[in-house]
Amino acid sequence: MKKTAIAAVIMISATAAVHAEPITIYGLINVSAQSVDEGEGRFSEMKSNNSRFGLKGDYALDDGLTLVYQLEWGVNVSDSSSSNVTARNQYIGLAGGFGEVRLGRHDTALKMSQAKIDQFNDFEGDLGALWEAEVRANNSISYFTPVINGFGAQLTYILEDSADAEDAYSAALFYGDENLKNINFYVSLALDAEVNGYDAVRVNTQTKIAGVTLGAIVQRQEDTETGLKQDGWLVSAAYPLGKTELKAQYQTLEDDNSFSVGLDYKAGKNTTLFAWYSSFNLETPQPDRDYLAVGIKHRF
């Protein structure tokens, strides 16, 4: 799998160079050294935090259409196991005045609706550690409407690819700017139906006040097989001090909760040094756990 993925990148890159067609090769290397206690004693580990590489591009077509594509793979740079290279978002699609349609494997509308509120995305304190509905869907069709006066929508339709299964969908409506630049506010409402065995509703909001980025999410999720309903909420904050950014986040799911604090140091345009601590207090049969980490991430 690893050799095949790398060979594909090289071949496609070479073809693009010959035909002078637009293509971008990109990636993220994100590695931390961690002290971990998951209920059976403390140990140390090296962790690759969703490191990835990929290529993407777009091609002008006739009639005002544009071909768009992305092929992205996850890379475990701290381990040499057979699962070292895994599939992430991979799609081909068309864009135009109607918006954009993508066919393939893609994050659902609900997953994307949280934008940049999760301050510990890709780490142990990622909101997906407590909540369901963080799905990258196979066999999916994603549609993005044009953004008009800050308003937009996304729809994901998932083909279950089995005679005894049901198709699923995910939808989101949003207003504002997830980067908090053009509009200093972001809010979205999203829902899943039959996605990976769960129905879910999520409300997200984020803004910046006096230099502090504040975010909040409320979620209700229901197991479609057992009917178990669970509610949770999350609040996050980030504050820059020169090249350093201080971060904190608190999340709940019924009686379970997690708390994370951390700091990022901008060592260069694309390089960040970081340190964080995450603690989970769980009422489930799983033991409480905590993590302390230092690491580095670099984008290219």
CSV table of all heavy atoms in Angstrom, one decimal, residues 103-158:
chain,number,residue,atom,x,y,z
A,103,LEU,N,-17.1,13.6,-5.6
A,103,LEU,CA,-17.4,12.2,-5.5
A,103,LEU,C,-16.2,11.4,-5.0
A,103,LEU,O,-15.1,11.6,-5.5
A,103,LEU,CB,-17.7,11.7,-6.9
A,103,LEU,CG,-18.8,12.5,-7.7
A,103,LEU,CD1,-18.9,11.8,-9.1
A,103,LEU,CD2,-20.1,12.5,-7.0
A,104,GLY,N,-16.4,10.6,-3.9
A,104,GLY,CA,-15.4,9.8,-3.4
A,104,GLY,C,-15.4,9.6,-1.9
A,104,GLY,O,-16.5,9.3,-1.4
A,105,ARG,N,-14.3,9.8,-1.2
A,105,ARG,CA,-14.2,9.7,0.2
A,105,ARG,C,-14.0,11.1,0.8
A,105,ARG,O,-13.1,11.7,0.4
A,105,ARG,CB,-13.1,8.7,0.6
A,105,ARG,CG,-12.7,8.6,2.0
A,105,ARG,CD,-11.6,7.6,2.2
A,105,ARG,NE,-11.1,7.6,3.5
A,105,ARG,CZ,-11.6,6.9,4.6
A,105,ARG,NH1,-12.6,6.2,4.4
A,105,ARG,NH2,-11.0,7.0,5.8
A,106,HIS,N,-14.9,11.5,1.7
A,106,HIS,CA,-14.8,12.9,2.2
A,106,HIS,C,-15.4,13.0,3.6
A,106,HIS,O,-16.3,12.3,4.0
A,106,HIS,CB,-15.6,13.7,1.2
A,106,HIS,CG,-15.2,15.2,1.2
A,106,HIS,ND1,-15.6,16.0,2.2
A,106,HIS,CD2,-14.6,15.9,0.3
A,106,HIS,CE1,-15.1,17.2,1.9
A,106,HIS,NE2,-14.5,17.2,0.8
A,107,ASP,N,-14.9,14.0,4.3
A,107,ASP,CA,-15.5,14.4,5.6
A,107,ASP,C,-16.9,14.8,5.4
A,107,ASP,O,-17.3,15.5,4.4
A,107,ASP,CB,-14.7,15.5,6.2
A,107,ASP,CG,-13.3,15.2,6.7
A,107,ASP,OD1,-13.0,14.0,6.8
A,107,ASP,OD2,-12.5,16.1,6.9
A,108,THR,N,-17.8,14.3,6.3
A,108,THR,CA,-19.2,14.7,6.2
A,108,THR,C,-19.4,16.2,6.5
A,108,THR,O,-18.6,16.9,7.1
A,108,THR,CB,-20.0,13.9,7.2
A,108,THR,OG1,-19.7,14.2,8.6
A,108,THR,CG2,-19.9,12.4,7.0
A,109,ALA,N,-20.6,16.6,6.1
A,109,ALA,CA,-21.0,18.0,6.4
A,109,ALA,C,-21.0,18.3,7.9
A,109,ALA,O,-20.5,19.4,8.3
A,109,ALA,CB,-22.4,18.3,5.8
A,110,LEU,N,-21.4,17.4,8.7
A,110,LEU,CA,-21.4,17.7,10.1
A,110,LEU,C,-20.0,17.8,10.7
A,110,LEU,O,-19.7,18.6,11.5
A,110,LEU,CB,-22.2,16.6,10.9
A,110,LEU,CG,-22.4,16.8,12.4
A,110,LEU,CD1,-23.8,16.4,12.9
A,110,LEU,CD2,-21.3,16.2,13.2
A,111,LYS,N,-19.1,16.9,10.3
A,111,LYS,CA,-17.7,16.9,10.7
A,111,LYS,C,-17.1,18.3,10.3
A,111,LYS,O,-16.4,18.9,11.2
A,111,LYS,CB,-16.9,15.8,10.1
A,111,LYS,CG,-15.5,15.7,10.6
A,111,LYS,CD,-14.7,14.6,10.0
A,111,LYS,CE,-13.3,14.6,10.5
A,111,LYS,NZ,-12.5,13.5,10.0
A,112,MET,N,-17.3,18.7,9.1
A,112,MET,CA,-16.7,20.0,8.7
A,112,MET,C,-17.3,21.2,9.3
A,112,MET,O,-16.7,22.3,9.3
A,112,MET,CB,-16.8,20.0,7.1
A,112,MET,CG,-16.0,19.0,6.4
A,112,MET,SD,-16.0,19.2,4.6
A,112,MET,CE,-14.9,20.7,4.5
A,113,SER,N,-18.6,21.1,9.8
A,113,SER,CA,-19.3,22.2,10.3
A,113,SER,C,-18.6,22.9,11.6
A,113,SER,O,-18.9,24.0,11.9
A,113,SER,CB,-20.7,21.8,10.7
A,113,SER,OG,-20.8,21.0,11.9
A,114,GLN,N,-17.8,22.1,12.3
A,114,GLN,CA,-17.1,22.7,13.5
A,114,GLN,C,-16.0,23.6,13.1
A,114,GLN,O,-15.4,24.3,14.0
A,114,GLN,CB,-16.7,21.6,14.4
A,114,GLN,CG,-15.5,20.7,13.9
A,114,GLN,CD,-14.2,21.1,14.5
A,114,GLN,OE1,-14.0,22.1,15.2
A,114,GLN,NE2,-13.2,20.3,14.1
A,115,ALA,N,-15.6,23.6,11.8
A,115,ALA,CA,-14.6,24.6,11.3
A,115,ALA,C,-13.3,24.5,12.2
A,115,ALA,O,-12.7,23.4,12.3
A,115,ALA,CB,-15.1,26.0,11.4
A,116,LYS,N,-12.9,25.5,12.9
A,116,LYS,CA,-11.6,25.5,13.6
A,116,LYS,C,-11.9,25.7,15.1
A,116,LYS,O,-11.0,26.2,15.9
A,116,LYS,CB,-10.7,26.6,13.1
A,116,LYS,CG,-10.4,26.4,11.6
A,116,LYS,CD,-9.4,27.5,11.1
A,116,LYS,CE,-9.1,27.2,9.6
A,116,LYS,NZ,-8.2,28.2,9.0
A,117,ILE,N,-13.0,25.3,15.6
A,117,ILE,CA,-13.4,25.5,17.0
A,117,ILE,C,-12.6,24.5,17.9
A,117,ILE,O,-12.2,24.9,19.0
A,117,ILE,CB,-14.9,25.3,17.2
A,117,ILE,CG1,-15.7,26.3,16.5
A,117,ILE,CG2,-15.2,25.3,18.7
A,117,ILE,CD1,-17.2,26.1,16.4
A,118,ASP,N,-12.3,23.3,17.4
A,118,ASP,CA,-11.6,22.3,18.2
A,118,ASP,C,-10.1,22.7,18.2
A,118,ASP,O,-9.4,22.5,17.3
A,118,ASP,CB,-11.8,20.9,17.6
A,118,ASP,CG,-11.1,19.8,18.3
A,118,ASP,OD1,-10.5,20.1,19.4
A,118,ASP,OD2,-11.2,18.7,17.9
A,119,GLN,N,-9.7,23.2,19.4
A,119,GLN,CA,-8.3,23.7,19.5
A,119,GLN,C,-7.3,22.6,19.6
A,119,GLN,O,-6.1,22.8,19.5
A,119,GLN,CB,-8.2,24.7,20.7
A,119,GLN,CG,-8.9,26.0,20.6
A,119,GLN,CD,-8.3,26.9,19.5
A,119,GLN,OE1,-7.2,26.7,19.1
A,119,GLN,NE2,-9.1,27.8,19.0
A,120,PHE,N,-7.7,21.4,19.9
A,120,PHE,CA,-6.8,20.2,20.0
A,120,PHE,C,-7.1,19.2,19.0
A,120,PHE,O,-6.9,18.0,19.2
A,120,PHE,CB,-6.9,19.7,21.4
A,120,PHE,CG,-6.4,20.7,22.5
A,120,PHE,CD1,-7.2,21.7,23.0
A,120,PHE,CD2,-5.1,20.6,22.8
A,120,PHE,CE1,-6.7,22.6,23.9
A,120,PHE,CE2,-4.6,21.5,23.7
A,120,PHE,CZ,-5.4,22.5,24.3
A,121,ASN,N,-7.5,19.6,17.8
A,121,ASN,CA,-7.8,18.7,16.7
A,121,ASN,C,-6.5,17.9,16.3
A,121,ASN,O,-5.4,18.5,16.4
A,121,ASN,CB,-8.2,19.6,15.5
A,121,ASN,CG,-8.5,18.7,14.3
A,121,ASN,OD1,-9.2,17.7,14.3
A,121,ASN,ND2,-7.9,19.1,13.1
A,122,ASP,N,-6.6,16.7,16.1
A,122,ASP,CA,-5.5,15.7,15.7
A,122,ASP,C,-4.8,15.2,17.0
A,122,ASP,O,-4.0,14.3,16.8
A,122,ASP,CB,-4.5,16.3,14.8
A,122,ASP,CG,-5.1,16.5,13.4
A,122,ASP,OD1,-6.0,15.8,13.0
A,122,ASP,OD2,-4.5,17.4,12.6
A,123,PHE,N,-5.0,15.8,18.1
A,123,PHE,CA,-4.3,15.3,19.3
A,123,PHE,C,-5.3,14.5,20.2
A,123,PHE,O,-6.4,14.2,19.8
A,123,PHE,CB,-3.8,16.5,20.1
A,123,PHE,CG,-2.8,17.3,19.4
A,123,PHE,CD1,-3.0,18.7,19.2
A,123,PHE,CD2,-1.6,16.7,19.0
A,123,PHE,CE1,-2.0,19.4,18.5
A,123,PHE,CE2,-0.7,17.5,18.3
A,123,PHE,CZ,-0.9,18.8,18.0
A,124,GLU,N,-4.8,14.0,21.4
A,124,GLU,CA,-5.6,13.2,22.2
A,124,GLU,C,-6.9,13.9,22.7
A,124,GLU,O,-7.9,13.3,22.9
A,124,GLU,CB,-4.8,12.7,23.5
A,124,GLU,CG,-3.5,12.0,23.2
A,124,GLU,CD,-3.7,10.7,22.6
A,124,GLU,OE1,-4.8,10.2,22.5
A,124,GLU,OE2,-2.7,10.0,22.2
A,125,GLY,N,-6.8,15.2,22.8
A,125,GLY,CA,-8.0,16.0,23.2
A,125,GLY,C,-9.0,16.4,22.1
A,125,GLY,O,-9.9,17.1,22.4
A,126,ASP,N,-8.8,15.8,20.9
A,126,ASP,CA,-9.7,16.0,19.8
A,126,ASP,C,-11.1,15.7,20.2
A,126,ASP,O,-11.4,14.7,21.0
A,126,ASP,CB,-9.2,15.1,18.7
A,126,ASP,CG,-10.0,15.3,17.4
A,126,ASP,OD1,-11.2,15.1,17.4
A,126,ASP,OD2,-9.4,15.6,16.4
A,127,LEU,N,-12.1,16.5,19.8
A,127,LEU,CA,-13.4,16.3,20.2
A,127,LEU,C,-14.0,14.9,19.9
A,127,LEU,O,-14.9,14.4,20.5
A,127,LEU,CB,-14.3,17.4,19.7
A,127,LEU,CG,-14.6,17.6,18.2
A,127,LEU,CD1,-15.6,16.6,17.6
A,127,LEU,CD2,-15.0,19.0,17.9
A,128,GLY,N,-13.4,14.3,18.9
A,128,GLY,CA,-13.8,12.9,18.5
A,128,GLY,C,-13.5,11.9,19.6
A,128,GLY,O,-13.9,10.7,19.5
A,129,ALA,N,-12.7,12.2,20.6
A,129,ALA,CA,-12.3,11.3,21.6
A,129,ALA,C,-13.6,11.0,22.5
A,129,ALA,O,-13.7,9.9,23.1
A,129,ALA,CB,-11.2,11.8,22.5
A,130,LEU,N,-14.5,11.9,22.6
A,130,LEU,CA,-15.7,11.7,23.4
A,130,LEU,C,-16.9,11.6,22.6
A,130,LEU,O,-17.9,10.8,22.9
A,130,LEU,CB,-15.9,12.9,24.4
A,130,LEU,CG,-15.1,12.9,25.7
A,130,LEU,CD1,-15.5,14.1,26.5
A,130,LEU,CD2,-15.1,11.6,26.4
A,131,TRP,N,-17.0,12.3,21.4
A,131,TRP,CA,-18.2,12.3,20.6
A,131,TRP,C,-18.2,11.4,19.4
A,131,TRP,O,-17.1,11.2,18.8
A,131,TRP,CB,-18.5,13.7,20.2
A,131,TRP,CG,-18.8,14.7,21.3
A,131,TRP,CD1,-19.1,14.4,22.6
A,131,TRP,CD2,-19.0,16.1,21.1
A,131,TRP,NE1,-19.4,15.5,23.3
A,131,TRP,CE2,-19.3,16.6,22.4
A,131,TRP,CE3,-18.9,17.0,20.1
A,131,TRP,CZ2,-19.5,18.0,22.6
A,131,TRP,CZ3,-19.1,18.3,20.3
A,131,TRP,CH2,-19.4,18.8,21.6
A,132,GLU,N,-19.3,10.9,19.0
A,132,GLU,CA,-19.5,10.3,17.7
A,132,GLU,C,-19.7,11.4,16.6
A,132,GLU,O,-19.6,12.6,16.9
A,132,GLU,CB,-20.7,9.3,17.7
A,132,GLU,CG,-20.6,8.2,18.7
A,132,GLU,CD,-19.5,7.3,18.5
A,132,GLU,OE1,-19.1,7.1,17.3
A,132,GLU,OE2,-19.0,6.6,19.4
A,133,ALA,N,-19.9,11.0,15.4
A,133,ALA,CA,-20.2,11.8,14.3
A,133,ALA,C,-19.0,12.5,13.6
A,133,ALA,O,-19.2,13.4,12.8
A,133,ALA,CB,-21.3,12.9,14.7
A,134,GLU,N,-17.8,12.1,14.0
A,134,GLU,CA,-16.6,12.7,13.3
A,134,GLU,C,-16.3,11.7,12.2
A,134,GLU,O,-15.3,10.8,12.4
A,134,GLU,CB,-15.5,12.8,14.3
A,134,GLU,CG,-15.7,14.0,15.3
A,134,GLU,CD,-15.6,15.3,14.6
A,134,GLU,OE1,-14.5,15.7,14.1
A,134,GLU,OE2,-16.6,16.0,14.4
A,135,VAL,N,-17.0,11.7,11.1
A,135,VAL,CA,-16.9,10.7,10.1
A,135,VAL,C,-16.3,11.2,8.8
A,135,VAL,O,-16.7,12.2,8.3
A,135,VAL,CB,-18.3,10.1,9.8
A,135,VAL,CG1,-18.3,9.1,8.7
A,135,VAL,CG2,-18.9,9.5,11.1
A,136,ARG,N,-15.4,10.4,8.2
A,136,ARG,CA,-14.9,10.6,6.9
A,136,ARG,C,-15.6,9.4,6.1
A,136,ARG,O,-15.2,8.3,6.2
A,136,ARG,CB,-13.4,10.5,6.8
A,136,ARG,CG,-12.8,10.7,5.4
A,136,ARG,CD,-11.3,10.8,5.5
A,136,ARG,NE,-10.9,12.0,6.2
A,136,ARG,CZ,-10.1,12.1,7.3
A,136,ARG,NH1,-9.7,10.9,7.8
A,136,ARG,NH2,-9.8,13.2,7.8
A,137,ALA,N,-16.5,9.8,5.2
A,137,ALA,CA,-17.4,8.8,4.6
A,137,ALA,C,-16.9,8.3,3.3
A,137,ALA,O,-16.6,9.0,2.4
A,137,ALA,CB,-18.8,9.4,4.4
A,138,ASN,N,-16.9,6.9,3.2
A,138,ASN,CA,-16.7,6.3,1.9
A,138,ASN,C,-17.9,6.4,1.0
A,138,ASN,O,-19.0,6.7,1.5
A,138,ASN,CB,-16.3,4.8,2.1
A,138,ASN,CG,-15.1,4.6,2.9
A,138,ASN,OD1,-14.1,5.4,2.8
A,138,ASN,ND2,-15.1,3.6,3.7
A,139,ASN,N,-17.7,6.2,-0.3
A,139,ASN,CA,-18.9,6.1,-1.2
A,139,ASN,C,-19.8,7.3,-1.0
A,139,ASN,O,-21.0,7.2,-1.0
A,139,ASN,CB,-19.7,4.8,-1.0
A,139,ASN,CG,-18.8,3.6,-1.0
A,139,ASN,OD1,-18.0,3.4,-2.0
A,139,ASN,ND2,-18.9,2.7,0.0
A,140,SER,N,-19.3,8.5,-1.0
A,140,SER,CA,-20.1,9.7,-0.7
A,140,SER,C,-20.1,10.7,-1.8
A,140,SER,O,-19.1,10.8,-2.6
A,140,SER,CB,-19.6,10.3,0.6
A,140,SER,OG,-18.3,10.9,0.4
A,141,ILE,N,-21.2,11.4,-1.9
A,141,ILE,CA,-21.3,12.6,-2.8
A,141,ILE,C,-21.5,13.8,-1.9
A,141,ILE,O,-22.4,13.9,-1.1
A,141,ILE,CB,-22.6,12.4,-3.7
A,141,ILE,CG1,-22.5,11.1,-4.5
A,141,ILE,CG2,-22.7,13.6,-4.6
A,141,ILE,CD1,-23.8,10.8,-5.2
A,142,SER,N,-20.6,14.8,-2.1
A,142,SER,CA,-20.6,16.0,-1.3
A,142,SER,C,-20.9,17.2,-2.2
A,142,SER,O,-20.4,17.4,-3.2
A,142,SER,CB,-19.3,16.3,-0.6
A,142,SER,OG,-19.0,15.2,0.3
A,143,TYR,N,-21.9,18.0,-1.7
A,143,TYR,CA,-22.3,19.2,-2.5
A,143,TYR,C,-22.1,20.5,-1.6
A,143,TYR,O,-22.5,20.5,-0.4
A,143,TYR,CB,-23.7,19.2,-2.9
A,143,TYR,CG,-24.2,20.5,-3.5
A,143,TYR,CD1,-23.6,21.0,-4.6
A,143,TYR,CD2,-25.3,21.2,-2.9
A,143,TYR,CE1,-24.1,22.2,-5.2
A,143,TYR,CE2,-25.7,22.4,-3.4
A,143,TYR,CZ,-25.1,22.9,-4.6
A,143,TYR,OH,-25.5,24.1,-5.1
A,144,PHE,N,-21.4,21.5,-2.1
A,144,PHE,CA,-21.2,22.7,-1.5
A,144,PHE,C,-21.8,23.8,-2.2
A,144,PHE,O,-21.6,24.0,-3.4
A,144,PHE,CB,-19.7,23.1,-1.4
A,144,PHE,CG,-18.8,22.0,-0.6
A,144,PHE,CD1,-18.5,20.8,-1.2
A,144,PHE,CD2,-18.5,22.2,0.7
A,144,PHE,CE1,-17.7,19.9,-0.6
A,144,PHE,CE2,-17.7,21.3,1.4
A,144,PHE,CZ,-17.3,20.1,0.7
A,145,THR,N,-22.7,24.6,-1.6
A,145,THR,CA,-23.4,25.7,-2.3
A,145,THR,C,-22.4,26.9,-2.5
A,145,THR,O,-21.4,27.0,-1.7
A,145,THR,CB,-24.6,26.2,-1.5
A,145,THR,OG1,-24.2,26.8,-0.3
A,145,THR,CG2,-25.6,25.0,-1.2
A,146,PRO,N,-22.7,27.8,-3.4
A,146,PRO,CA,-22.0,29.0,-3.4
A,146,PRO,C,-22.2,29.8,-2.1
A,146,PRO,O,-23.3,29.7,-1.5
A,146,PRO,CB,-22.6,29.8,-4.6
A,146,PRO,CG,-23.2,28.8,-5.4
A,146,PRO,CD,-23.7,27.7,-4.5
A,147,VAL,N,-21.2,30.5,-1.6
A,147,VAL,CA,-21.4,31.3,-0.4
A,147,VAL,C,-21.9,32.7,-0.8
A,147,VAL,O,-21.3,33.4,-1.6
A,147,VAL,CB,-20.1,31.5,0.4
A,147,VAL,CG1,-20.3,32.4,1.6
A,147,VAL,CG2,-19.6,30.1,0.8
A,148,ILE,N,-23.1,33.1,-0.3
A,148,ILE,CA,-23.7,34.3,-0.7
A,148,ILE,C,-24.0,35.2,0.6
A,148,ILE,O,-24.7,34.8,1.5
A,148,ILE,CB,-25.1,34.1,-1.4
A,148,ILE,CG1,-24.9,33.2,-2.6
A,148,ILE,CG2,-25.8,35.4,-1.7
A,148,ILE,CD1,-26.2,32.8,-3.3
A,149,ASN,N,-23.3,36.3,0.6
A,149,ASN,CA,-23.4,37.2,1.8
A,149,ASN,C,-23.1,36.5,3.1
A,149,ASN,O,-23.7,36.7,4.1
A,149,ASN,CB,-24.8,37.9,1.9
A,149,ASN,CG,-25.1,38.8,0.7
A,149,ASN,OD1,-24.2,39.4,0.2
A,149,ASN,ND2,-26.3,38.8,0.3
A,150,GLY,N,-22.1,35.6,3.1
A,150,GLY,CA,-21.7,34.9,4.3
A,150,GLY,C,-22.5,33.6,4.6
A,150,GLY,O,-22.1,32.9,5.4
A,151,PHE,N,-23.6,33.4,3.8
A,151,PHE,CA,-24.4,32.2,4.0
A,151,PHE,C,-24.0,31.1,3.1
A,151,PHE,O,-23.7,31.3,1.9
A,151,PHE,CB,-25.9,32.5,3.9
A,151,PHE,CG,-26.5,33.3,5.0
A,151,PHE,CD1,-26.5,34.7,4.8
A,151,PHE,CD2,-27.0,32.7,6.1
A,151,PHE,CE1,-27.0,35.5,5.8
A,151,PHE,CE2,-27.5,33.5,7.1
A,151,PHE,CZ,-27.5,34.9,7.0
A,152,GLY,N,-24.0,29.8,3.6
A,152,GLY,CA,-23.7,28.7,2.7
A,152,GLY,C,-24.2,27.4,3.3
A,152,GLY,O,-24.7,27.4,4.4
A,153,ALA,N,-24.1,26.3,2.5
A,153,ALA,CA,-24.6,25.0,3.0
A,153,ALA,C,-23.7,23.9,2.4
A,153,ALA,O,-23.1,24.1,1.4
A,153,ALA,CB,-26.1,24.8,2.6
A,154,GLN,N,-23.8,22.8,3.1
A,154,GLN,CA,-23.1,21.6,2.5
A,154,GLN,C,-24.0,20.4,2.8
A,154,GLN,O,-24.7,20.3,3.8
A,154,GLN,CB,-21.8,21.4,3.3
A,154,GLN,CG,-21.0,20.1,2.8
A,154,GLN,CD,-19.7,19.9,3.6
A,154,GLN,OE1,-19.3,20.7,4.4
A,154,GLN,NE2,-19.2,18.7,3.4
A,155,LEU,N,-24.0,19.4,1.8
A,155,LEU,CA,-24.8,18.2,1.9
A,155,LEU,C,-23.9,17.0,1.6
A,155,LEU,O,-23.2,17.1,0.6
A,155,LEU,CB,-26.0,18.3,1.0
A,155,LEU,CG,-26.9,17.0,0.9
A,155,LEU,CD1,-27.5,16.7,2.3
A,155,LEU,CD2,-27.9,17.1,-0.1
A,156,THR,N,-23.9,16.0,2.4
A,156,THR,CA,-23.2,14.7,2.1
A,156,THR,C,-24.2,13.6,2.0
A,156,THR,O,-25.0,13.4,2.9
A,156,THR,CB,-22.2,14.4,3.2
A,156,THR,OG1,-21.3,15.5,3.5
A,156,THR,CG2,-21.4,13.2,2.9
A,157,TYR,N,-24.2,12.9,0.9
A,157,TYR,CA,-25.1,11.7,0.7
A,157,TYR,C,-24.2,10.5,0.6
A,157,TYR,O,-23.2,10.5,-0.2
A,157,TYR,CB,-25.9,11.9,-0.6
A,157,TYR,CG,-26.9,10.8,-0.8
A,157,TYR,CD1,-28.1,10.9,0.0
A,157,TYR,CD2,-26.7,9.7,-1.6
A,157,TYR,CE1,-29.1,9.9,-0.2
A,157,TYR,CE2,-27.7,8.8,-1.8
A,157,TYR,CZ,-28.9,8.8,-1.0
A,157,TYR,OH,-29.8,7.8,-1.2
A,158,ILE,N,-24.4,9.5,1.5
A,158,ILE,CA,-23.6,8.4,1.6
A,158,ILE,C,-24.3,7.1,1.0
A,158,ILE,O,-25.3,6.7,1.6
A,158,ILE,CB,-23.1,8.1,3.0
A,158,ILE,CG1,-22.5,9.4,3.6
A,158,ILE,CG2,-22.2,7.0,3.2
A,158,ILE,CD1,-22.3,9.4,5.1
